[in-house]
Amino acid sequence: MRYALLVSYDGTAYGGWQIQKNAVTVQEKLSEALRETLGFSVTVTASGRTDSGVHAAAQVCHFDAETDIPPERMADALNFRLPDDISVLKSVKAPEGFDATASAKKKTYCYRLYLSRRRNPLKDRYSVQIKHPADIEKLKESGKFFEGEHDFKAYCAAGSQVKTTVRRIYSVNVEVKETRGSPDVEIYVTGNGFLYNMVRTLAGTMLYYSAGRISAEDITRSLSLCDRDSVGKTMPAKGLTLENVDYGINLFLQ
């Protein structure tokens, strides 16, 4: 049977999703919990990697196993063995042909900021402090430059090995709300796929534009000529969260 899992995690203590030699990862912890639960090892596959320090509200995974544990009870069995910063929110029997990676149609990430002269420890774990003023209207305006299909090579970390750097962005939306005396800014980016550091660099570029440090022409040049010098800085990982993976079906409806 193929199981599908909806997983949430605080990425602060982890070197990202994928198992690696020199860091503890989310995949490693989930694989350990599965081995302890099932009595044998299985391969757990996610919708995609999240980088070191990046969080997930709704990562989707699958694994194959022949076991008597009902699909809807697998979440509880795993959570008993997982650390407090990782939780399986839902578990179901995957539909025929489902693959957490290949079946994904859209993903939505959110980059969170708060505008404040002074650091707020209650916000600082999952969002990034911006000390200088930001023009919110310009921030919203800048997101529209990225919508559509573009070559995002300038927004990809050096050394990344991918077949193509062309991606389609369906929407970039900025939401603002006042909490505890300072504005919280959430930048939601939905696309068919993302490059290494792409959303974090996109957020940094939007901030540069809102502060007048780069122009509309700079952003256009970064997309048309893949000019790395025309983009903003790559923002810290802690502000980024994988919010949703869209498969075109209500996978976890039950």
Side-chain angles (χ1 to χ4, degrees):
M1 179 192 298
R2 175 156 292 187
Y3 291 79
L5 307 177
L6 184 67
V7 184
S8 177
Y9 50 85
D10 177 336
T12 306
Y14 300 102
W17 161 262
Q18 187 170 357
I19 289 176
Q20 51 189 282
K21 293 181 179 179
N22 301 318
V24 178
T25 68
V26 179
Q27 186 183 29
E28 176 185 342
K29 288 296 184 181
L30 189 54
S31 296
E32 289 174 356
L34 280 164
R35 184 170 61 251
E36 293 171 6
T37 299
L38 301 172
F40 53 88
S41 296
V42 296
T43 299
V44 57
T45 301
S47 66
R49 306 176 187 178
T50 51
D51 302 332
S52 178
V54 173
H55 318 292
Q59 174 69 281
V60 178
C61 316
H62 80 255
F63 69 92
D64 297 326
E66 295 304 321
T67 172
D68 293 333
I69 301 174
E72 67 277 7
R73 300 295 297 170
M74 183 61 72
D76 294 326
L78 293 174
N79 287 336
F80 181 74
R81 295 169 173 84
L82 284 168
D84 290 343
D85 50 9
I86 304 174
S87 180
V88 180
L89 304 179
K90 292 185 179 182
S91 55
V92 298
K93 179 181 179 181
E96 187 71 26
F98 175 80
D99 183 288
T101 307
S103 300
K105 299 182 182 301
K106 299 179 183 178
K107 295 179 185 177
T108 298
Y109 279 89
C110 179
Y111 199 88
R112 291 181 168 85
L113 318 161
Y114 68 99
L115 309 180
S116 176
R117 290 176 52 209
R118 297 179 180 87
R119 187 179 67 85
N120 186 327
L122 297 182
K123 297 181 180 182
D124 212 45
R125 191 175 181 89
Y126 304 110
S127 59
V128 174
Q129 177 193 13
I130 304 297
K131 294 182 180 181
H132 57 77
D135 186 324
I136 299 301
E137 290 309 311
K138 288 195 70 176
L139 196 66
K140 293 178 178 180
E141 175 187 317
S142 64
K144 303 309 172 185
F145 289 110
F146 301 105
E147 293 179 350
E149 187 171 271
H150 303 285
D151 189 339
F152 285 94
K153 184 177 181 180
Y155 294 80
C156 180
S160 177
Q161 297 180 342
V162 291
K163 292 181 180 180
T164 176
T165 51
V166 174
R167 297 291 186 273
R168 176 170 291 278
I169 298 299
Y170 299 106
S171 63
V172 181
N173 295 312
V174 177
E175 298 182 8
V176 183
K177 52 189 175 184
E178 291 279 343
T179 58
R180 300 184 179 92
S182 62
D184 289 345
V185 179
E186 298 179 338
I187 303 172
Y188 290 90
V189 185
T190 300
N192 65 353
F194 296 93
L195 304 167
Y196 181 44
N197 284 355
M198 177 176 159
V199 178
R200 291 162 57 191
T201 307
L202 190 151
T205 302
M206 292 173 67
L207 278 172
Y208 270 35
Y209 179 81
S210 72
R213 299 180 64 176
I214 60 175
S215 66
E217 289 73 21
D218 289 324
I219 297 178
T220 300
R221 185 163 56 251
S222 73
L223 296 171
S224 60
L225 301 179
C226 301
D227 181 10
R228 181 72 181 181
D229 293 333
S230 298
V231 306
K233 72 174 183 179
T234 300
M235 299 295 289
K238 67 177 182 177
L240 186 62
T241 300
L242 174 61
E243 292 288 330
N244 183 59
V245 185
D246 183 354
Y247 292 96
I249 56 173
N250 291 321
L251 183 62
F252 298 101
L253 182 62
Q254 58 267 51

